[in-house]
């Protein structure tokens, strides 16, 4: 009898293609795996989103287990507004790991927690990215630092990398 677990030259997990979902708003997502080109038949283990060409749009880097090329997918969606935030802690840890950020734009509220995790063969960047769509400004940015200090900035311009230092209150 032939071994049913013998995948030949493929890793068993390689039979599940990568998936890419596009946020269509209001809790709905559209599967764009095939259209993106990222639905590779490989044993993908790490994915990182980062703005490689400094246009404010997050690109994707994908690495598969067992060698092969690193795949880079440039974000070619229509340009939208964005805000990137780099943190510098004074009372908290120096990079602000664990900070909770809230962006308010009209009646929209976006939340992020800063945990630049390391995963198998990957590590995220040291900044927090907010995609803002067509919004022309951020009404309010609130940062809750790990030390408990709460910092608020108002009327923040978009399309910039903002460096924020924790106040020494």
């Amino acid at each position: 009898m032939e071994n049913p677990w013998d995948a030949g030259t493929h890793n068993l997990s390689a039979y599940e293609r990568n998936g890419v979902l596009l946020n269509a708003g209001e809790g709905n997502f559209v599967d764009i795996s095939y259209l993106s080109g990222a639905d590779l038949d490989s044993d993908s283990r790490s994915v990182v989103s980062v703005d490689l060409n400094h246009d404010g749009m997050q690109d994707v880097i994908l690495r598969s287990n067992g060698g092969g090329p690193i795949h880079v997918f440039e974000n070619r969606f229509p340009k939208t507004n964005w805000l990137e935030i780099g943190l510098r802690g004074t009372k908290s840890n120096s990079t602000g790991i664990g900070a909770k950020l809230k962006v308010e734009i009209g009646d929209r509220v976006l939340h992020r927690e800063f945990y630049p995790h390391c995963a198998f063969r990957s590590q995220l960047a040291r900044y927090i990215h907010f995609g803002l769509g067509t919004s022309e400004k951020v009404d309010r940015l609130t940062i809750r630092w790990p030390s408990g200090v709460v910092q608020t900035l108002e009327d923040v311009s978009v399309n910039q990398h903002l460096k924020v230092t924790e106040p020494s209150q």
Side-chain angles (χ1 to χ4, degrees):
M1 177 176 189
E2 200 172 316
N3 181 351
W5 300 109
D6 183 8
T9 60
H10 287 84
N11 182 312
L12 285 174
S13 66
Y15 294 109
E16 183 177 349
R17 299 186 80 83
N18 297 331
V20 178
L21 301 176
L22 175 67
N23 186 346
E26 299 181 17
N28 298 308
F29 293 85
V30 177
D31 186 345
I32 62 166
S33 305
Y34 177 76
L35 294 173
S36 72
D39 67 335
L40 305 170
D41 181 14
S42 68
D43 190 8
S44 300
R45 296 290 178 102
S46 61
V47 62
V48 174
S49 62
V50 63
D51 183 6
L52 292 171
N53 53 3
H54 305 289
D55 65 354
M57 306 290 283
Q58 296 284 282
D59 305 302
V60 173
I61 302 172
L62 186 131
R63 178 74 168 112
S64 296
N65 191 30
I70 292 175
H71 298 276
V72 178
F73 299 93
E74 181 182 1
N75 186 340
R76 294 185 179 162
F77 278 93
K79 300 273 188 261
T80 59
N81 293 326
W82 53 276
L83 178 64
E84 286 180 352
I85 302 165
L87 300 176
R88 183 177 179 281
T90 55
K91 292 178 67 176
S92 302
N93 58 78
S94 63
T95 55
I97 294 174
K100 297 179 182 187
L101 293 85
K102 179 170 74 170
V103 163
E104 298 174 63
I105 310 163
D107 59 352
R108 288 180 51 209
V109 179
L110 304 172
H111 296 271
R112 300 280 187 277
E113 292 186 17
F114 184 50
Y115 292 103
H117 68 276
C118 296
F120 185 70
R121 295 187 176 179
S122 66
Q123 180 176 344
L124 291 180
R126 239 186 60 127
Y127 56 82
I128 302 97
H129 181 90
F130 287 93
L132 304 175
T134 58
S135 299
E136 296 293 326
K137 70 173 179 141
V138 170
D139 297 322
R140 184 174 298 110
L141 165 63
T142 305
I143 303 169
R144 182 175 301 276
W145 292 88
S147 65
V149 170
V150 177
Q151 184 176 12
T152 303
L153 293 92
E154 298 197 6
D155 296 323
V156 178
S157 299
V158 299
N159 301 334
Q160 67 166 321
H161 183 92
L162 180 64
K163 294 179 184 175
V164 181
T165 299
E166 178 181 20
S168 57
Q169 301 174 356

